[in-house]
Amino acid sequence: MRRWRTRVLVGLAFVFVLCGRAAALSAQSAVVLDADTGATRFAHNADAVLPMASTTKIMTAIVAIEQGDLDRVYTVKPAYIQTEGSSMYLKPGERLTIRDTLYGLMLMSGNDAALAIAGECGGQEAFVQAMNDKAAALGLTHTHFENPNGLDGETHHTTARELAQLTAYALQNPDFREIVGTQTTTRAGRTMTNHNKMLALYEGAIGGKTGFTKKSGRCLVSAATRNGRTLVAVTLHDPDDWDDHCAMLDQAFAAYAPETLHRAGQAVAEVPVEGGTAGQVGLTALHDVTVWLAPGEREQVTRTLRGRRFVYATVAGGDYYGEVVYRLGGHILKTDALAYAADVEQLPPEKGIIARCLDAVRGWFGGGS
């Protein structure tokens, strides 16, 4: 009862703090999304359809990455540098890889990099169509792209919520995650420094993307991980985005509290035993398992076993069986190894009919030897 009351109070405090903070937000639209479960942790005008500037490049990057062959070399065409705005300073005739260009896209926010990626991954028109097809496949019904770099367009728009959903999806890809989490690197003869200051400002930050045009204002996507939970924050048209993101993420992470799912040595399950002196044997956990959960999530945690559905005797206590897996929705929270809790001996072989008859005769005559 005490734990339940504590979690309720934490949840209420979180709601009151965020409601108070919403009035102070500089953003026209904002959201904090749990990347692991898709749950919305905070929303302020999160479904408003707005321009997104260079946060567009999140989609550009993931579409290119999923096409594969990132280390193939291409030659820069003059058409790739014929664009305004931020640049990774590609030069016509220069040779570099798609992977190098992705770093220029996401760290330097190169509009030329976006054109080069689109041009080398099917051509501009086909690539933008692939971006829109991906948005449709992800259920992003209010997201539409006219170009791969984020320059203003009449139908180039998204919402804070859908941009967060896109980012949560992209972060599942290890190549994307490595690129956006890089603060500084030297590639293709360039030292590239990430425009996303959250990587240095915020503990646990793992990536995101900046964006700006006069029409869109300052746009920012940031992602951070603490205690095994990942959050994505998005603000659109926000003159104070760095401070807003730090505050929103802090407040969202504060809603999570530790929950111990089992202790080391605790029996967590049983498995049937075939041919043994016992019909089943307990399985004990090797370690304490504690996870961080938001209010209401404990009841949603499921437990499954990775191991054989039954085992044959003989079983030795302490030997490895398999793993217990805790999930929240489709997300794996924690796993732990399991060992057999006790020995189970094999049943002696069943006697044949002659042996049983001899036993009966011995019984009649007092069992003499």
Side-chain angles (χ1 to χ4, degrees), residues 289-307:
V289 166
T290 298
V291 297
W292 287 72
L293 301 174
E297 286 187 335
R298 181 64 183 90
E299 295 75 18
Q300 302 171 34
V301 175
T302 60
R303 184 181 69 188
T304 56
L305 301 183
R306 286 177 179 166

Side-chain angles (χ1 to χ4, degrees), residues 303-349:
R303 184 181 69 188
T304 56
L305 301 183
R306 286 177 179 166
R308 291 172 288 178
R309 289 182 295 175
F310 63 90
V311 295
Y312 291 101
T314 302
V315 172
D319 278 2
Y320 175 81
Y321 162 76
E323 292 181 319
V324 59
V325 181
Y326 292 100
R327 287 183 172 87
L328 183 60
H331 173 65
I332 294 178
L333 289 170
K334 279 286 183 69
T335 63
D336 191 24
L338 297 175
Y340 299 113
D343 296 338
V344 179
E345 298 297 330
Q346 188 175 29
L347 286 170

Side-chain angles (χ1 to χ4, degrees), residues 61-74:
I62 194 62
V63 169
I65 289 169
E66 289 184 346
Q67 287 191 14
D69 199 12
L70 302 186
D71 295 312
R72 64 185 173 89
V73 177
Y74 72 97

Side-chain angles (χ1 to χ4, degrees), residues 61-361:
I62 194 62
V63 169
I65 289 169
E66 289 184 346
Q67 287 191 14
D69 199 12
L70 302 186
D71 295 312
R72 64 185 173 89
V73 177
Y74 72 97
T75 301
V76 176
K77 299 175 182 177
Y80 299 163
I81 66 171
Q82 295 173 8
T83 182
E84 60 182 293
S86 54
S87 177
M88 72 172 290
Y89 305 105
L90 292 173
K91 301 172 183 177
E94 179 181 10
R95 289 177 61 77
L96 68 166
T97 66
I98 297 295
R99 189 183 302 274
D100 292 335
T101 315
L102 283 165
Y103 277 90
L105 177 82
M106 299 306 287
L107 274 64
M108 303 176 74
S109 199
N111 290 341
D112 52 351
L115 293 185
I117 288 168
E120 295 299 319
C121 296
Q124 304 295 327
E125 185 175 343
F127 189 85
V128 172
Q129 183 60 54
M131 294 169 69
N132 286 314
D133 289 346
K134 189 67 180 181
L138 294 174
L140 309 181
T141 57
H142 299 294
T143 298
H144 186 266
F145 302 97
E146 291 185 20
N147 58 66
N149 48 36
L151 295 178
D152 294 333
E154 289 299 319
T155 62
H156 194 94
H157 52 69
T158 190
T159 69
R161 192 188 308 277
E162 291 190 356
L163 190 51
Q165 291 168 341
L166 168 61
T167 303
Y169 169 80
L171 285 169
Q172 297 174 37
N173 184 287
D175 287 312
F176 180 90
R177 193 160 179 152
E178 179 179 353
I179 291 168
V180 299
T182 300
Q183 286 187 266
T184 302
T185 187
T186 300
R187 305 183 70 93
R190 297 164 174 81
T191 297
M192 307 181 193
T193 300
N194 203 320
H195 290 183
N196 182 10
K197 295 180 182 179
M198 289 294 290
L199 290 171
L201 283 174
Y202 195 77
E203 180 184 356
I206 60 171
K209 186 70 188 73
T210 59
F212 174 80
T213 68
K214 289 183 178 180
K215 179 180 178 180
S216 70
R218 291 176 62 88
C219 301
L220 180 62
V221 177
S222 64
T225 297
R226 286 186 187 174
N227 301 312
R229 302 304 298 268
T230 300
L231 297 176
V232 176
V234 175
T235 50
L236 298 176
H237 210 293
D238 184 0
D240 194 21
D241 48 10
W242 306 121
D243 287 341
D244 283 340
H245 276 241
C246 289
M248 290 193 311
L249 287 169
D250 276 346
Q251 291 158 1
F253 277 123
Y256 295 83
E259 186 84 33
T260 297
L261 301 181
H262 69 236
R263 298 285 186 186
Q266 180 179 335
V268 298
E270 294 179 329
V271 62
V273 180
E274 291 288 332
T277 54
Q280 56 192 15
V281 63
L283 302 171
T284 57
L286 269 61
H287 309 93
D288 291 350
V289 166
T290 298
V291 297
W292 287 72
L293 301 174
E297 286 187 335
R298 181 64 183 90
E299 295 75 18
Q300 302 171 34
V301 175
T302 60
R303 184 181 69 188
T304 56
L305 301 183
R306 286 177 179 166
R308 291 172 288 178
R309 289 182 295 175
F310 63 90
V311 295
Y312 291 101
T314 302
V315 172
D319 278 2
Y320 175 81
Y321 162 76
E323 292 181 319
V324 59
V325 181
Y326 292 100
R327 287 183 172 87
L328 183 60
H331 173 65
I332 294 178
L333 289 170
K334 279 286 183 69
T335 63
D336 191 24
L338 297 175
Y340 299 113
D343 296 338
V344 179
E345 298 297 330
Q346 188 175 29
L347 286 170
E350 188 174 344
K351 294 182 178 180
I353 188 169
I354 296 176
R356 292 200 303 272
C357 290
L358 289 174
D359 285 345
V361 171

Side-chain angles (χ1 to χ4, degrees), residues 6-15 17-18 32 34 40-42 226-227 229 231 248-258 292-297:
T6 300
R7 296 296 293 275
V8 169
L9 289 173
V10 169
L12 288 174
F14 175 63
V15 170
V17 168
L18 278 185
V32 179
D34 187 314
T40 299
R41 296 296 168 211
F42 170 64
R226 286 186 187 174
N227 301 312
R229 302 304 298 268
L231 297 176
M248 290 193 311
L249 287 169
D250 276 346
Q251 291 158 1
F253 277 123
Y256 295 83
W292 287 72
L293 301 174
E297 286 187 335

